[in-house]
Amino acid sequence: MYFIYLRKAIEEGSIFIKSSSNLIALTFVSVYIEDVKEKNPIPLYLKIKVPRMKSPLTLVKSLLAVVGVAAVSAVSAAPAWAFSFGNIAGGDTPGDAYVNSFTFDVVDQGLSLVFFNIKNSGDAAAPSMFISQVFFDDNGYLSGPSANVSNIGQVAFNGGASNAQLPQGGNNFTTDYAFSRLPGAGNAFGIQANETLVLGFKANYNNVIAALNSGELKIGLHVQGLPNGASDSYISSSGNTENTPEPLTMLAAGAAVGFGTMFKKQRAQAQKAE
């Protein structure tokens, strides 16, 4: 039996490890992660078969790698769902070819707080296009709006409760909240290529996801700077969501595969040396 105590110091960004000096006979590892903010230990039990190695240092490196994967997996970020937008039937068409450049994620922040990450991935055929306005047809699912929570890029919006009409939205879209880029600096404060606007609301995450799937909750975009000075609008598509792992979760999965390959090679080398 072998024990390692891993403390994830969230506030200091440091990790402390205490361990025994007997590394040769390691067959089982127990990992405990303590979130300093929550004061709540999280037990993670890992059974690891490790060959006898002549170099204790090699085993230490391998062990720390496994512990790192466990730590990353345990503290991975909140769940998120990815959504796309669709063209408006019977509406303007200058931006129809660029609809796939615009997406948004919905992220559960806990404590009844939900973030909407509105993204513009850009398109080489329309490098100047930008999102100038974001609209929500809410139907009572959202409250307490906030803008510019953690934007990516030079994005700056303001807004809140509003009945402003989404261009081309018509009777199928009734605005409850609207956000517009700040004036000045040309179009710099709009959501340009590879930029993200983050909007926060008080809401029940599961209810929001269900409402987006059913179409009870919709998001509209007004995009400007299209070729020939044109503009167009889009509305979020219902029923096409995708559960997306957060970056830390994907990092943990990739690391696990990499370390698995490393252990296999080390075992083969150890067997040859015996």
Side-chain angles (χ1 to χ4, degrees):
M1 182 72 73
Y2 188 84
F3 296 93
I4 290 181
Y5 296 89
L6 174 65
R7 170 171 293 180
K8 178 71 172 64
I10 301 296
E11 295 167 334
E12 298 180 3
S14 57
I15 294 176
F16 303 93
I17 298 177
K18 296 180 181 179
S19 64
S20 161
S21 59
N22 183 6
L23 299 176
I24 303 302
L26 174 63
T27 57
F28 183 91
V29 178
S30 293
V31 180
Y32 295 83
I33 297 179
E34 182 179 347
D35 185 333
V36 175
K37 286 185 177 179
E38 300 294 336
K39 304 294 184 183
N40 183 26
I42 306 172
L44 296 176
Y45 301 99
L46 304 176
K47 287 187 177 181
I48 305 171
K49 290 183 178 180
V50 182
R52 291 179 179 272
M53 299 180 184
K54 293 183 178 181
S55 171
L57 182 59
T58 301
L59 185 53
V60 171
K61 291 179 179 179
S62 301
L63 177 58
L64 293 180
V66 173
V67 171
V69 173
V72 169
S73 299
V75 298
S76 59
W81 285 77
F83 292 78
S84 61
F85 287 90
N87 293 309
I88 298 175
D92 293 341
T93 60
D96 285 8
Y98 312 112
V99 63
N100 293 329
S101 298
F102 309 107
T103 59
F104 68 97
D105 297 340
V106 184
V107 184
D108 183 7
Q109 294 296 316
L111 301 177
S112 298
L113 179 62
V114 175
F115 282 179
F116 292 82
N117 303 327
I118 315 296
K119 303 178 180 182
N120 175 6
S121 62
D123 191 299
S128 299
M129 67 180 182
F130 65 96
I131 301 171
S132 60
Q133 293 176 293
V134 181
F135 302 81
F136 287 80
D137 185 347
D138 167 47
N139 284 314
Y141 289 95
L142 309 174
S143 64
S146 57
N148 310 309
V149 179
S150 53
N151 298 341
I152 298 175
Q154 196 180 351
V155 181
F157 276 57
N158 62 8
S162 173
N163 59 1
Q165 184 173 339
L166 169 70
Q168 307 172 55
N171 296 327
N172 293 324
F173 193 101
T174 302
T175 303
D176 297 293
Y177 298 97
F179 301 86
S180 301
R181 67 180 177 89
L182 295 180
N187 302 327
F189 295 138
I191 309 174
Q192 310 279 354
N194 301 313
E195 293 186 334
T196 301
L197 167 67
V198 182
L199 303 172
F201 287 91
K202 294 180 180 178
N204 180 289
Y205 174 74
N206 291 328
N207 290 345
V208 166
I209 297 300
L212 286 165
N213 271 315
S214 69
E216 290 185 73
L217 172 58
K218 297 186 287 288
I219 298 179
L221 301 181
H222 185 213
V223 175
Q224 295 180 276
L226 293 168
N228 301 316
S231 65
D232 207 343
S233 296
Y234 310 93
I235 294 179
S236 56
S237 301
S238 60
N240 70 335
T241 61
E242 178 185 357
N243 195 352
T244 59
E246 287 296 285
L248 283 177
T249 303
M250 292 186 287
L251 175 60
V257 173
F259 293 136
T261 302
M262 179 183 67
F263 290 138
K264 185 176 180 180
K265 290 181 179 179
Q266 288 180 347
R267 182 178 181 182
Q269 292 173 354
Q271 289 175 343
K272 288 181 180 179
E274 291 179 351

PDB file of all heavy atoms in Angstrom, residues 82-101:
ATOM      1  N   ALA A  82     -22.761  23.207 -26.945  1.00  0.00           N
ATOM      2  CA  ALA A  82     -22.485  24.029 -28.121  1.00  0.00           C
ATOM      3  C   ALA A  82     -23.725  24.091 -29.015  1.00  0.00           C
ATOM      4  O   ALA A  82     -24.400  23.085 -29.221  1.00  0.00           O
ATOM      5  CB  ALA A  82     -21.306  23.464 -28.898  1.00  0.00           C
ATOM      6  N   PHE A  83     -23.998  25.263 -29.528  1.00  0.00           N
ATOM      7  CA  PHE A  83     -25.167  25.490 -30.387  1.00  0.00           C
ATOM      8  C   PHE A  83     -24.744  26.187 -31.673  1.00  0.00           C
ATOM      9  O   PHE A  83     -23.717  26.865 -31.715  1.00  0.00           O
ATOM     10  CB  PHE A  83     -26.209  26.357 -29.681  1.00  0.00           C
ATOM     11  CG  PHE A  83     -26.873  25.705 -28.503  1.00  0.00           C
ATOM     12  CD1 PHE A  83     -26.231  25.622 -27.290  1.00  0.00           C
ATOM     13  CD2 PHE A  83     -28.150  25.176 -28.616  1.00  0.00           C
ATOM     14  CE1 PHE A  83     -26.834  25.036 -26.196  1.00  0.00           C
ATOM     15  CE2 PHE A  83     -28.761  24.585 -27.533  1.00  0.00           C
ATOM     16  CZ  PHE A  83     -28.109  24.510 -26.318  1.00  0.00           C
ATOM     17  N   SER A  84     -25.566  26.065 -32.686  1.00  0.00           N
ATOM     18  CA  SER A  84     -25.311  26.741 -33.949  1.00  0.00           C
ATOM     19  C   SER A  84     -26.464  27.696 -34.265  1.00  0.00           C
ATOM     20  O   SER A  84     -27.475  27.731 -33.569  1.00  0.00           O
ATOM     21  CB  SER A  84     -25.155  25.724 -35.082  1.00  0.00           C
ATOM     22  OG  SER A  84     -26.349  24.969 -35.228  1.00  0.00           O
ATOM     23  N   PHE A  85     -26.291  28.462 -35.337  1.00  0.00           N
ATOM     24  CA  PHE A  85     -27.319  29.387 -35.800  1.00  0.00           C
ATOM     25  C   PHE A  85     -27.807  28.949 -37.178  1.00  0.00           C
ATOM     26  O   PHE A  85     -27.128  28.225 -37.900  1.00  0.00           O
ATOM     27  CB  PHE A  85     -26.770  30.816 -35.877  1.00  0.00           C
ATOM     28  CG  PHE A  85     -26.561  31.462 -34.539  1.00  0.00           C
ATOM     29  CD1 PHE A  85     -25.344  31.336 -33.888  1.00  0.00           C
ATOM     30  CD2 PHE A  85     -27.576  32.165 -33.920  1.00  0.00           C
ATOM     31  CE1 PHE A  85     -25.141  31.917 -32.646  1.00  0.00           C
ATOM     32  CE2 PHE A  85     -27.392  32.755 -32.684  1.00  0.00           C
ATOM     33  CZ  PHE A  85     -26.173  32.623 -32.039  1.00  0.00           C
ATOM     34  N   GLY A  86     -29.003  29.408 -37.537  1.00  0.00           N
ATOM     35  CA  GLY A  86     -29.575  29.108 -38.836  1.00  0.00           C
ATOM     36  C   GLY A  86     -30.010  30.376 -39.546  1.00  0.00           C
ATOM     37  O   GLY A  86     -30.234  31.421 -38.924  1.00  0.00           O
ATOM     38  N   ASN A  87     -30.109  30.312 -40.865  1.00  0.00           N
ATOM     39  CA  ASN A  87     -30.612  31.438 -41.642  1.00  0.00           C
ATOM     40  C   ASN A  87     -32.110  31.612 -41.414  1.00  0.00           C
ATOM     41  O   ASN A  87     -32.815  30.667 -41.065  1.00  0.00           O
ATOM     42  CB  ASN A  87     -30.341  31.212 -43.129  1.00  0.00           C
ATOM     43  CG  ASN A  87     -28.857  31.242 -43.446  1.00  0.00           C
ATOM     44  OD1 ASN A  87     -28.147  32.158 -43.070  1.00  0.00           O
ATOM     45  ND2 ASN A  87     -28.377  30.207 -44.148  1.00  0.00           N
ATOM     46  N   ILE A  88     -32.578  32.826 -41.603  1.00  0.00           N
ATOM     47  CA  ILE A  88     -33.997  33.128 -41.411  1.00  0.00           C
ATOM     48  C   ILE A  88     -34.732  32.920 -42.729  1.00  0.00           C
ATOM     49  O   ILE A  88     -34.430  33.577 -43.739  1.00  0.00           O
ATOM     50  CB  ILE A  88     -34.187  34.571 -40.915  1.00  0.00           C
ATOM     51  CG1 ILE A  88     -33.502  34.736 -39.554  1.00  0.00           C
ATOM     52  CG2 ILE A  88     -35.672  34.918 -40.807  1.00  0.00           C
ATOM     53  CD1 ILE A  88     -33.529  36.144 -39.014  1.00  0.00           C
ATOM     54  N   ALA A  89     -35.678  31.995 -42.724  1.00  0.00           N
ATOM     55  CA  ALA A  89     -36.428  31.681 -43.943  1.00  0.00           C
ATOM     56  C   ALA A  89     -37.172  32.918 -44.440  1.00  0.00           C
ATOM     57  O   ALA A  89     -37.877  33.586 -43.672  1.00  0.00           O
ATOM     58  CB  ALA A  89     -37.407  30.551 -43.677  1.00  0.00           C
ATOM     59  N   GLY A  90     -37.003  33.233 -45.710  1.00  0.00           N
ATOM     60  CA  GLY A  90     -37.679  34.383 -46.306  1.00  0.00           C
ATOM     61  C   GLY A  90     -37.015  35.703 -46.005  1.00  0.00           C
ATOM     62  O   GLY A  90     -37.500  36.749 -46.438  1.00  0.00           O
ATOM     63  N   GLY A  91     -35.902  35.683 -45.268  1.00  0.00           N
ATOM     64  CA  GLY A  91     -35.206  36.921 -44.922  1.00  0.00           C
ATOM     65  C   GLY A  91     -34.128  37.264 -45.928  1.00  0.00           C
ATOM     66  O   GLY A  91     -34.044  36.685 -47.022  1.00  0.00           O
ATOM     67  N   ASP A  92     -33.281  38.199 -45.545  1.00  0.00           N
ATOM     68  CA  ASP A  92     -32.183  38.591 -46.412  1.00  0.00           C
ATOM     69  C   ASP A  92     -31.210  37.418 -46.591  1.00  0.00           C
ATOM     70  O   ASP A  92     -31.139  36.521 -45.749  1.00  0.00           O
ATOM     71  CB  ASP A  92     -31.437  39.786 -45.815  1.00  0.00           C
ATOM     72  CG  ASP A  92     -32.311  41.041 -45.795  1.00  0.00           C
ATOM     73  OD1 ASP A  92     -33.299  41.069 -46.548  1.00  0.00           O
ATOM     74  OD2 ASP A  92     -32.001  41.969 -45.021  1.00  0.00           O
ATOM     75  N   THR A  93     -30.471  37.463 -47.673  1.00  0.00           N
ATOM     76  CA  THR A  93     -29.576  36.333 -47.985  1.00  0.00           C
ATOM     77  C   THR A  93     -28.088  36.672 -48.086  1.00  0.00           C
ATOM     78  O   THR A  93     -27.280  35.751 -48.294  1.00  0.00           O
ATOM     79  CB  THR A  93     -30.010  35.694 -49.317  1.00  0.00           C
ATOM     80  OG1 THR A  93     -29.933  36.683 -50.368  1.00  0.00           O
ATOM     81  CG2 THR A  93     -31.428  35.150 -49.218  1.00  0.00           C
ATOM     82  N   PRO A  94     -27.628  37.932 -47.953  1.00  0.00           N
ATOM     83  CA  PRO A  94     -26.195  38.220 -48.140  1.00  0.00           C
ATOM     84  C   PRO A  94     -25.277  37.437 -47.204  1.00  0.00           C
ATOM     85  O   PRO A  94     -24.124  37.178 -47.559  1.00  0.00           O
ATOM     86  CB  PRO A  94     -26.090  39.722 -47.868  1.00  0.00           C
ATOM     87  CG  PRO A  94     -27.450  40.250 -48.140  1.00  0.00           C
ATOM     88  CD  PRO A  94     -28.390  39.171 -47.721  1.00  0.00           C
ATOM     89  N   GLY A  95     -25.785  37.059 -46.028  1.00  0.00           N
ATOM     90  CA  GLY A  95     -24.935  36.360 -45.077  1.00  0.00           C
ATOM     91  C   GLY A  95     -25.187  34.876 -44.974  1.00  0.00           C
ATOM     92  O   GLY A  95     -24.613  34.197 -44.107  1.00  0.00           O
ATOM     93  N   ASP A  96     -26.046  34.351 -45.861  1.00  0.00           N
ATOM     94  CA  ASP A  96     -26.416  32.934 -45.744  1.00  0.00           C
ATOM     95  C   ASP A  96     -25.204  32.006 -45.827  1.00  0.00           C
ATOM     96  O   ASP A  96     -25.155  30.966 -45.165  1.00  0.00           O
ATOM     97  CB  ASP A  96     -27.420  32.558 -46.840  1.00  0.00           C
ATOM     98  CG  ASP A  96     -28.817  33.111 -46.547  1.00  0.00           C
ATOM     99  OD1 ASP A  96     -28.950  33.893 -45.589  1.00  0.00           O
ATOM    100  OD2 ASP A  96     -29.760  32.748 -47.279  1.00  0.00           O
ATOM    101  N   ALA A  97     -24.218  32.369 -46.633  1.00  0.00           N
ATOM    102  CA  ALA A  97     -23.057  31.499 -46.825  1.00  0.00           C
ATOM    103  C   ALA A  97     -22.132  31.486 -45.615  1.00  0.00           C
ATOM    104  O   ALA A  97     -21.259  30.620 -45.509  1.00  0.00           O
ATOM    105  CB  ALA A  97     -22.271  31.951 -48.059  1.00  0.00           C
ATOM    106  N   TYR A  98     -22.348  32.418 -44.677  1.00  0.00           N
ATOM    107  CA  TYR A  98     -21.426  32.541 -43.540  1.00  0.00           C
ATOM    108  C   TYR A  98     -22.057  32.114 -42.219  1.00  0.00           C
ATOM    109  O   TYR A  98     -21.465  32.308 -41.156  1.00  0.00           O
ATOM    110  CB  TYR A  98     -20.941  33.995 -43.430  1.00  0.00           C
ATOM    111  CG  TYR A  98     -20.486  34.562 -44.746  1.00  0.00           C
ATOM    112  CD1 TYR A  98     -21.201  35.587 -45.371  1.00  0.00           C
ATOM    113  CD2 TYR A  98     -19.357  34.059 -45.396  1.00  0.00           C
ATOM    114  CE1 TYR A  98     -20.793  36.095 -46.591  1.00  0.00           C
ATOM    115  CE2 TYR A  98     -18.943  34.563 -46.615  1.00  0.00           C
ATOM    116  CZ  TYR A  98     -19.662  35.585 -47.216  1.00  0.00           C
ATOM    117  OH  TYR A  98     -19.263  36.078 -48.435  1.00  0.00           O
ATOM    118  N   VAL A  99     -23.222  31.503 -42.270  1.00  0.00           N
ATOM    119  CA  VAL A  99     -23.943  31.175 -41.044  1.00  0.00           C
ATOM    120  C   VAL A  99     -23.139  30.260 -40.118  1.00  0.00           C
ATOM    121  O   VAL A  99     -23.242  30.348 -38.887  1.00  0.00           O
ATOM    122  CB  VAL A  99     -25.316  30.532 -41.387  1.00  0.00           C
ATOM    123  CG1 VAL A  99     -25.152  29.220 -42.138  1.00  0.00           C
ATOM    124  CG2 VAL A  99     -26.156  30.352 -40.127  1.00  0.00           C
ATOM    125  N   ASN A 100     -22.314  29.388 -40.689  1.00  0.00           N
ATOM    126  CA  ASN A 100     -21.552  28.442 -39.865  1.00  0.00           C
ATOM    127  C   ASN A 100     -20.389  29.098 -39.117  1.00  0.00           C
ATOM    128  O   ASN A 100     -19.723  28.437 -38.307  1.00  0.00           O
ATOM    129  CB  ASN A 100     -21.019  27.297 -40.729  1.00  0.00           C
ATOM    130  CG  ASN A 100     -22.128  26.413 -41.267  1.00  0.00           C
ATOM    131  OD1 ASN A 100     -23.160  26.253 -40.622  1.00  0.00           O
ATOM    132  ND2 ASN A 100     -21.936  25.855 -42.443  1.00  0.00           N
ATOM    133  N   SER A 101     -20.167  30.377 -39.378  1.00  0.00           N
ATOM    134  CA  SER A 101     -19.094  31.090 -38.676  1.00  0.00           C
ATOM    135  C   SER A 101     -19.525  31.520 -37.276  1.00  0.00           C
ATOM    136  O   SER A 101     -18.681  31.943 -36.475  1.00  0.00           O
ATOM    137  CB  SER A 101     -18.669  32.330 -39.468  1.00  0.00           C
ATOM    138  OG  SER A 101     -18.159  31.973 -40.742  1.00  0.00           O
TER     139      SER A 101
END
